[in-house]
């Protein structure tokens, strides 16, 4: 009937671009520290790269060997209002984040270049929780890499979904990272 057709015209449906369903964003809020930028007396990292205008507005990893983007990662550009943040939310540097398979932790499913704040939180270019699009809610490993620091990977599977963003703090203790390689700086 006519009413049923009108109802269907206004109903949300599944939208897909290629083989990536847009309806499945996964959000995660990882936290870690880069030792070189960490100021123990202040309890957070310094934003020296940004202060000296050495922090690029677009992600640097697409042009570096050893950082191969998978899926939709690459070409991220920071929003100016996020770049301009000060204090504990000041942007310290770019990091390379991998979403890895629950079945095989060496299988990278998606990547994103993301931003590291002075307080250790890793955020997306919009300053909000890091988002991987096109994956169903489930258990995943995440790894964080940097161009001149050792990489880390979560020691356990993380239950990721759309909301709320899953908070995972690598700083809590060494066993938060695979094989305990995360040094505790706090």
């Amino acid at each position: 009937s006519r009413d049923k057709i009108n109802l269907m015209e206004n109903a949300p449906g599944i939208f897909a671009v290629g083989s990536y369903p847009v309806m499945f964003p996964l959000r995660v809020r990882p936290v870690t520290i880069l030792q070189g930028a960490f100021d123990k007396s202040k309890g957070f990292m310094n934003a020296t790269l940004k202060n000296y205008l050495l922090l690029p507005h677009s992600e640097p990893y697409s042009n570096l060997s050893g950082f191969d983007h998978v899926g939709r990662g690459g070409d991220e550009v920071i929003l100016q209002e996020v770049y301009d943040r000060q204090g504990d939310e000041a942007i310290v540097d770019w990091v390379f984040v991998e979403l890895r398979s629950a079945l095989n932790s060496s299988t990278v499913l998606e990547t994103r270049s993301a931003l590291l704040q002075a307080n250790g939180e890793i955020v997306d270019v919009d300053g909000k929780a890091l988002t991987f699009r096109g994956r169903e809610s489930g258990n995943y490993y995440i790894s964080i890499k940097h161009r001149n620091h050792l990489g880390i990977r979560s020691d356990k599977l993380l239950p990721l979904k759309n909301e709320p963003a899953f908070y995972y703090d690598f700083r809590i203790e060494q066993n938060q990272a695979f094989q305990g390689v995360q040094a505790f700086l706090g």
Side-chain angles (χ1 to χ4, degrees):
S1 78
R2 182 84 146 150
D3 290 334
K4 191 173 187 178
I5 291 172
N6 286 339
L7 179 63
M8 291 186 70
E9 288 175 358
N10 295 323
I14 296 174
F15 184 105
V17 177
S19 61
Y20 296 104
V22 176
M23 64 180 272
F24 295 122
L26 298 178
R27 291 188 171 82
V28 62
R29 294 178 50 219
V31 181
T32 193
I33 295 290
L34 293 179
Q35 186 173 11
F38 187 66
D39 183 338
K40 193 169 186 169
S41 67
K42 294 179 181 177
F44 57 88
M45 292 173 284
N46 62 55
T48 303
L49 289 177
K50 186 177 94 167
N51 295 339
Y52 285 100
L53 304 176
L54 298 173
L55 182 69
H57 279 75
S58 53
E59 62 88 16
Y61 292 102
S62 292
N63 297 321
L64 296 175
S65 63
F67 296 93
D68 299 320
H69 276 291
V70 176
R72 298 176 189 209
D75 299 323
E76 290 87 354
V77 177
I78 187 173
L79 295 178
Q80 188 62 45
E81 60 266 21
V82 176
Y83 190 90
D84 292 339
R85 287 181 175 177
Q86 298 294 318
D88 65 346
E89 290 187 345
I91 303 304
V92 172
D93 208 346
W94 287 93
V95 292
F96 187 84
V97 184
E98 298 173 331
L99 182 71
R100 294 182 175 210
S101 169
L103 300 175
N104 182 348
S105 63
S106 64
T107 301
V108 177
L109 302 171
E110 292 279 332
T111 61
R112 297 275 302 150
S113 291
L115 302 163
L116 180 64
Q117 297 182 151
N119 61 11
E121 292 185 21
I122 295 173
V123 296
D124 220 321
V125 293
D126 62 0
K128 298 178 183 173
L130 184 59
T131 302
F132 291 95
R133 300 198 183 280
R135 297 285 168 187
E136 293 189 47
S137 295
N139 295 316
Y140 298 90
Y141 292 101
I142 60 163
S143 72
I144 301 166
K145 296 179 178 180
H146 186 269
R147 65 191 173 281
N148 57 10
H149 284 75
L150 290 174
I152 54 175
R153 193 200 80 203
S154 58
D155 189 48
K156 60 185 176 190
L157 288 166
L158 308 181
L160 303 183
K161 58 185 177 179
N162 182 12
E163 292 293 340
F166 188 81
Y167 180 81
Y168 192 76
D169 193 341
F170 283 97
R171 303 171 304 170
I172 292 173
E173 56 188 42
Q174 275 189 294
N175 68 6
Q176 291 291 96
F178 178 66
Q179 296 183 335
V181 295
Q182 172 73 5
F184 182 70
L185 298 174

